[in-house]
Amino acid sequence: MAEHPHAALVRKGYEAFQRGDMETLRSMMTGDCTHHVPGSHPLSGDFKGIDSILDGYYGRLYSETGGSFQVELRDIFVDGRGHAMSVHRFTADRGSKHIDESGGIVFRIVGDKMTDLDECVADIDKTNDFWT
């Protein structure tokens, strides 16, 4: 059985992110896409627009961790109505700090593009501590 198109889109996005392929990610998002990042740390908040997401958030994930930020996709769930939910594990080093944590993203998909990414983490306090 073929993978649902929304699951395939999310999988392709994770693969592009891991390769650092921002042009592929750019092609997968609407111009007004928003990535919501939980927490109360310098990288939390709403990143609205492709450039804000790719440079303002993803670029900072890379620069703040010296390129050590890695994410491993574990599962994707779809509802067939424009929502997909990923479950992943992420690791990174930042100065003397290390994080190895579970998280996920709820995606809103319209047509074949991502319009909204709502990120969640298993332990928000641990994540806040890592980024501060």
Side-chain angles (χ1 to χ4, degrees):
M1 188 169 177
E3 186 173 46
H4 189 277
H6 294 161
L9 180 71
V10 169
R11 186 176 310 286
K12 180 180 175 184
Y14 270 85
E15 290 167 355
F17 180 88
Q18 277 301 106
R19 289 191 313 272
D21 183 353
M22 296 300 122
E23 288 311 307
T24 294
L25 286 171
R26 181 178 299 281
S27 74
M28 300 171 68
M29 297 177 184
T30 60
D32 63 348
C33 186
T34 302
H35 190 133
H36 308 275
V37 181
S40 58
H41 55 80
L43 272 69
S44 64
D46 297 329
F47 295 85
K48 187 165 180 63
I50 293 174
D51 290 335
S52 179
I53 294 169
L54 298 182
D55 300 330
Y57 182 47
Y58 299 169
R60 284 195 64 200
L61 288 174
Y62 180 83
S63 65
E64 292 281 334
T65 65
S68 69
F69 189 90
Q70 296 289 312
V71 64
E72 177 189 341
L73 180 62
R74 297 282 174 94
D75 259 317
I76 305 169
F77 305 98
V78 298
D79 69 356
R81 299 178 293 112
H83 298 95
M85 181 178 70
S86 67
V87 177
H88 60 246
R89 189 105 188 140
F90 64 96
T91 60
D93 296 301
R94 186 170 177 264
S96 63
K97 296 179 182 180
H98 176 76
I99 193 164
D100 184 345
E101 192 62 32
S102 295
I105 301 173
V106 177
F107 296 84
R108 174 77 176 127
I109 299 165
V110 175
D112 63 350
K113 300 238 184 208
M114 299 172 190
T115 65
D116 198 72
L117 294 80
D118 213 341
E119 190 173 331
C120 300
V121 294
D123 187 335
I124 200 158
D125 293 330
K126 184 176 180 181
T127 304
N128 284 335
D129 180 63
F130 178 77
W131 292 112
T132 54

